[in-house]
Amino acid sequence: MRVVLAGAHGFGAHYLNRLRRLAGQIELAGVCDVRPVSPEDLDGLGTPEFSTDLPELIKRTGARIAILATPIPTHADLTLAALAAGAHVLVEKPTAATLADFERMEQAAAEAGLACQVGFQSLASAALPEVRRLIAEDTIGRVTGIGVAGAWPRPASYFTRSSWSGRRRLDGVDIVDGALTNPFAHAVATALAVAGAEERGAVTSVEAELFHANAIESDDTSAIRIHLADGPPIVAAVTLCATGRDEPYVVVHGERGTITFTYTVDEVRVGDGPVRRFPRADLLENLVEHVRTGADLIVPIHRTGAFMEVLEAIRVAPDPLPIAQDHQDLSGDGPVLPGIAQVVESCAERLELFSELGVSWAVPLMVDDQVVAEYVTRPDLPISAAPRPYLHPVRTLGGTVVTEVQPADHPHHLGAGVAVTDVGGRNFWGGRTFVRDQGPQWLDDHGIQRHVSFTGRDSSGFAETLLWQRPGEEPVVREERTVRAVPLSRGWALDLTFTLRNLTGAPLTIQSSATKGRAGAGYGGFFWRAPVASRGLRVFAASPEGSAEGSAEGSVEGSVEGFVEGFVEGFVEGEELVHGSRAPWLALAGEDWTLVFVRAGDDPWFVRVAQYPGVGTALAWDTPLVFEDELTRGVSVVVADGRLSAAEAAGLAAEVAL
């Protein structure tokens, strides 16, 4: 059987070795490449013709099969050219760079009456039908989900080996060279095959979390959840930034156990039982047999339709987000993410995405292509800390961190977020609960704010749904939270708005320690914990005389100039003067940074400087707050480098409020 090989360098060298092994069955009649191939590389393969024109090479040599080991964006056009020249095709994975290209290839093969096999070698493993048999025989009970984990190291040179490496598009052409679509494409295709979901129409939607630690535009660390028209969810998490190589695997979760398929070595294990290894067929040999005898193809192009639906979802997803360097080990040849192998394994085992695990870099907020904040959705904390989502680290544009988590003085202080001491008798602040006439007490009354889902998300922020509840109880509140990072003339602003929806069916009461008898302790609402090690702390705010109507909402009357004047005219300084005030803005400044808080409404400010640095809004300053249906609040925080003057802070406060 005469064949030609398009692409003899890079992965194409792998095919040269396979052709040597199959010498006597297959003759390499020609090589198509833009670069010459050395005689040493062709040792043992005779004297194949060389050309840069694939159709002409096929016609001159009479080749029956064309092997395409070329860059991803060339797959479609070269496949069509080879089919038009009368050759069957073996094209490397991924099938194509776009779903439209896949459809062109599939149609062309059907019209030509020729075979198009795709190089997903893992699908040729005898382990795959064995896994399917175990599932069909109810070995592990009803399948609840399928997980995929893969962790490999790649040096920086991996992403510079060619002009298209690590690119999503190049010169207007789609490339889609990401971790899930190229090096770990087998993982996705294998999981789909295990689920019996391989052809077009099998995939209904894909949730994608794409990231990069390397300086590339594509993803090197990613997690996706694939929703199927008929089948369990598939969660695949992979990285090219691991400290060492772990063999990737597919794990099938059932109600009574698991089946693990390590597809690179064709091994299957049920639960903790013995490992069994299976043989694997060769896709090139299978294609030759198909041409000779009509034997069934193992990976005909239509069998990769579902994979292409996943690739298409990744292609059109928002561009991957960077992982901040303080999460990276940069001591070697290329960035490494310490602990990332355990993270991707957790995704596969728990069927959760990075953000759902609470990995902070998985929910970044960006300003001008810079990560300025990270959001932890599910912190691993004791119930006494009232676990809840929070922002940390929050950074100035200069890189100074201006939040703190679990400081020794108050371990339940968690960066920036929303925390309330008492909602319907439940502690969503953490720590001890203040009891009238008794003081702070450790009570079994703590609740959690449980992240449910993101309802919208991009590089500058997100919209999120949460449930507030005590473990084992029905939720008392559903929260809709919106967080966004906004560039300013100096620094940037964090905008946070939350709406609490009462789920109890009766009026719901919010209290603070102050409403129970602890004077001045009206904390509860939005709260920002600043670093305790900050030097030279000052706190100042607009004075009552210069606060317009005393609130950001009430001050917008008349001209814009008058509004700005209301923020600028006069200020007071010191914790004792700003604590409990209703000034439209308040600033907390260290030697290296300044935070300017601007809130909607007229909730008093809760301020601490001497004991610890923290600023918040007080929903129930000295009187319980009762609401029937819903409660909405919002705050903006200017994050700036350096110590701002009162006039500078007021100007930025006005910029935010406008």
Side-chain angles (χ1 to χ4, degrees), residues 83-98:
L83 292 169
H88 303 273
V89 171
L90 171 58
V91 59
E92 251 310 305
K93 58 80 190 163
T95 314
T98 71

Side-chain angles (χ1 to χ4, degrees), residues 4 33 50 109 174 226 239 241 259 276 312 336 398 517 527 542 612:
V4 296
D33 209 311
F50 182 86
D174 288 297
I226 304 169
T239 184
C241 301
I259 302 169
R276 292 183 295 156
E312 184 74 2
V336 167
F527 182 70
Y612 62 82

Side-chain angles (χ1 to χ4, degrees), residues 7-26:
H9 301 93
F11 193 78
H14 171 74
Y15 277 102
L16 292 175
N17 291 330
R18 287 169 69 182
L19 288 165
R20 288 189 187 90
R21 182 173 56 81
L22 297 173
Q25 302 178 53
I26 302 173

Side-chain angles (χ1 to χ4, degrees), residues 244-263:
R245 178 186 171 103
D246 291 334
E247 294 302 327
Y249 62 87
V250 175
V251 56
V252 185
H253 297 274
E255 292 180 326
R256 299 195 306 271
T258 60
I259 302 169
T260 303
F261 176 17
T262 309
Y263 65 86

Side-chain angles (χ1 to χ4, degrees), residues 292-474:
R292 284 177 173 159
T293 69
D296 290 341
L297 289 176
I298 294 176
V299 194
I301 188 170
H302 67 83
R303 194 180 172 191
T304 68
F307 170 83
M308 286 303 306
E309 290 176 327
V310 174
L311 182 146
E312 184 74 2
I314 294 173
R315 183 182 75 86
V316 301
D319 285 344
L321 299 174
I323 298 173
Q325 286 193 357
D326 51 7
H327 296 291
Q328 304 179 26
D329 178 354
L330 300 173
S331 61
D333 183 12
V336 167
L337 299 174
I340 189 62
Q342 290 72 37
V343 171
V344 299
E345 287 180 5
S346 293
C347 289
E349 298 307 312
R350 295 166 56 174
L351 298 175
E352 294 182 333
L353 303 178
F354 295 143
S355 66
E356 295 166 343
L357 292 179
V359 179
S360 66
W361 51 255
V363 190
L365 275 65
M366 298 182 64
V367 171
D368 297 332
D369 297 324
Q370 180 177 342
V371 176
V372 293
E374 297 170 19
Y375 189 65
V376 178
T377 57
R378 295 181 180 173
D380 183 13
L381 293 171
I383 188 64
S384 60
R388 57 196 181 272
Y390 61 83
L391 289 148
H392 177 79
V394 179
R395 308 175 182 88
T396 66
L397 292 181
T400 300
V401 175
V402 290
T403 49
E404 189 164 44
V405 165
Q406 293 188 276
D409 55 74
H410 290 79
H412 50 280
H413 285 185
L414 304 176
V418 181
V420 182
T421 57
D422 187 327
V423 180
R426 299 155 183 85
N427 180 341
F428 292 99
W429 177 272
R432 293 180 294 176
T433 300
F434 190 86
V435 179
R436 185 178 296 276
D437 300 326
Q438 297 182 41
Q441 303 291 317
W442 282 110
L443 302 180
D444 183 20
D445 64 347
H446 295 88
I448 62 173
Q449 296 174 25
R450 180 166 61 86
H451 167 83
V452 176
S453 65
F454 290 111
T455 55
R457 187 174 167 195
D458 58 33
S459 62
S460 66
F462 56 85
E464 177 190 23
T465 298
L466 307 98
L467 289 175
W468 294 38
Q469 65 189 123
R470 280 265 296 155
E473 295 183 1
E474 291 298 312

Side-chain angles (χ1 to χ4, degrees), residues 476 502-509 626-629:
V476 294
N502 184 355
L503 301 179
T504 66
L508 192 58
T509 301
V626 180
F627 71 101
E628 297 274 354
D629 299 317

